[in-house]
Amino acid sequence: MKEARKAGQQNMANTAKTSSAHVAVVGTGVIGASWAACFLARGFDVVATDPAEGAEARLHSLVSDFWPALARIGLAPDASPARLKFDSNLASTVAEAVFVQENGPERVDIKRDLIARIDAAAPATTLIATSSSGILISEIQNAAARHPERVLVGHPFNPPHLIPLVEVVGGRTTSAAAIEQAMAFYTALGKKPIHIRREIKGHVANRLQAALWREAFYLVSQGIASVSEVDIAISHGPGLRWALLGPFLNLHLSGGPGGIAHVLEHLGPPLESWWHDMGTVALSTELNKRLAAGVDEELAGTDLAVLTSQRDALLLGLLEQKAAMDARKPSLL
C-alpha cells in the first residue's frame, strides 16, 4: 500500500514536469506568490496570473525574496525562478496546467467567478484547488459547469513556501479520486497534507487557532493578562511543545507511563471545569483598539521586517531539525 501511494505521488509530480505541462497559480498576492515559489523550488514550471496592476513585478520580487529560504531547505536539481512565467490571461494560464492553485480574495462571488472561468479553460483532468481559509467548497464548486468533481480546498498555512501543512477538503460533488490525487501531489511537494472529511467553517487548524484567540481576547478584555503576557504564555510555554507534537500526543506524553488515559482519568474533571469557565467575547471598536495598542506596546518600535526575518530563521532551523530527525529514523515529530 505504501509503495503504491509513493508511486502515485511520483506519477503526479512527473506529470507536472512534462515539457508542455505546468502548475498554474491564479492570484499572486502574498499567498499566491508563496505557492509559486514553492512549486518552482520543487522543479516545476509555473504560469501565474493576476489582474492587479503591477502584479507581475510584485510576483517576481516576492519569489526573489523567498528563494534564499527555499535554497536553505533544499531545491530540486532543476529548480529555478526562471521557470516562472506571468500571463495576464487566465484562460491561457490554465489551458495546459496539470494542477491549478487558486488564491483569489476570500469572497464567495469572486471565488465562484474564478472557479467557473478556470473550469471552462483547464483540461478535464486538471485538479482545481482553492487556498480558501474558511469558505465551504460546496458553496463555490458548482460554479464549475464542466467538472465540479475536480474542485477542492487546498488550504495552506502562511507562508506556504515554508509551512508544511495543507488542509484538503472536498465538497458535495468532489470525487474520491480528486482527493487522493491532491493528497499525492501535495505530499510530493514535501507538504504534510491532511484530509478533512467533512466541510466545516475554517477547516481544522484555523478553528483550533480561533479557539485559542477567543480565550486570549477574553483574558485581555477582562484585564486578566496583557497582550504581551498572553503572547509570552504561549511562545515560551505550550507553544514550544506544540511546534513538536500535536495536542493529543503532548497530552499523552504528560501522562507518563499511563499516557493520555491516565491524564483523562485524573485531570479530566478539572479540564472540563476549565472548559465551562471559558469566556465569551465579542469584538468591538474599544477592544480592537485595546488589542492593537497592546501589540504596539509589545513591539516597542521593533522593525516588522526584522521580526519576520527572525521568525523565519527560527522556523527554518526547526524544519531542518525535524527533517534531520526524520532522515535518521521516521518519527512523529
Side-chain angles (χ1 to χ4, degrees):
M1 179 66 73
K2 183 179 292 186
E3 288 73 15
R5 180 173 297 178
K6 285 184 178 179
Q9 293 165 3
Q10 192 58 50
N11 288 339
M12 188 72 182
N14 289 339
T15 299
K17 292 185 181 182
T18 61
S19 59
S20 61
H22 61 266
V23 175
V25 174
V26 177
T28 60
V30 174
I31 298 299
S34 184
W35 267 126
C38 174
F39 297 139
L40 290 165
R42 303 319 306 156
F44 300 147
D45 289 313
V46 176
V47 181
T49 189
D50 192 304
E53 185 176 352
E56 182 175 2
R58 284 193 297 272
L59 170 62
H60 284 286
S61 177
L62 285 169
V63 169
S64 178
D65 290 342
F66 297 152
W67 205 253
L70 288 164
R72 177 174 166 180
I73 293 173
L75 302 172
D78 48 355
S80 171
R83 299 180 70 172
L84 172 63
K85 176 184 175 183
F86 189 90
D87 188 339
S88 60
N89 184 279
L90 184 147
S92 57
T93 295
V94 305
E96 293 185 345
V98 295
F99 193 92
V100 178
Q101 189 76 41
E102 177 274 316
N103 314 281
E106 194 77 355
R107 283 177 43 185
V108 171
D109 58 337
I110 295 178
K111 293 286 190 188
R112 287 183 60 84
D113 175 67
L114 288 172
I115 294 300
R117 292 163 59 198
I118 294 169
D119 177 66
T125 56
T126 299
L127 293 182
I128 303 172
T130 176
S131 294
S132 174
S133 60
I135 293 175
L136 300 182
I137 190 63
S138 290
E139 294 181 354
I140 61 175
Q141 76 176 156
N142 62 3
R146 295 172 62 218
H147 296 288
E149 73 281 355
R150 42 97 170 257
V151 181
L152 46 79
V153 168
H155 173 238
F157 246 58
N158 192 26
H161 67 284
L162 296 183
I163 302 293
L165 176 66
V166 180
E167 297 176 311
V168 175
V169 194
R172 284 189 289 269
T173 57
T174 304
S175 70
I179 294 292
E180 183 176 353
Q181 290 170 19
M183 293 288 288
F185 179 66
Y186 288 129
T187 301
L189 285 177
K191 297 298 186 183
K192 291 287 188 180
I194 61 171
H195 176 207
I196 299 172
R197 291 162 178 78
R198 181 167 66 85
E199 291 181 89
I200 190 169
K201 289 183 179 180
H203 316 317
V204 169
N206 273 338
R207 289 180 70 92
L208 292 171
Q209 286 194 134
L212 176 61
W213 286 331
R214 184 174 73 171
E215 185 62 16
F217 289 6
Y218 174 77
L219 293 171
V220 172
S221 73
Q222 298 300 304
I224 296 168
S226 69
V227 167
S228 62
E229 287 168 336
V230 171
D231 276 348
I232 289 171
I234 295 300
S235 62
H236 292 272
L240 295 172
R241 295 198 302 258
W242 293 341
L244 305 176
L245 295 170
F248 293 115
L249 284 181
N250 270 309
L251 197 60
H252 182 66
L253 291 184
S254 71
I260 192 171
H262 174 78
V263 173
L264 294 178
E265 180 181 355
H266 291 274
L267 294 182
L271 180 60
E272 283 189 298
S273 73
W274 299 340
W275 287 340
H276 295 316
D277 196 51
M278 292 287 177
T280 298
V281 64
L283 293 176
S284 64
T285 300
E286 180 182 353
L287 179 56
N288 291 353
K289 288 181 178 178
R290 186 172 177 181
L291 294 170
V295 169
D296 288 341
E297 182 181 352
E298 182 178 7
L299 289 172
T302 301
D303 188 321
L304 286 181
V306 173
L307 181 61
T308 301
S309 177
Q310 291 173 338
R311 178 203 65 184
D312 289 352
L314 286 170
L315 177 59
L316 284 168
L318 177 61
L319 290 172
E320 288 170 350
Q321 289 296 317
K322 284 184 170 234
M325 184 171 291
D326 283 345
R328 291 195 296 270
K329 181 180 180 182
S331 72
L332 298 172
L333 297 175

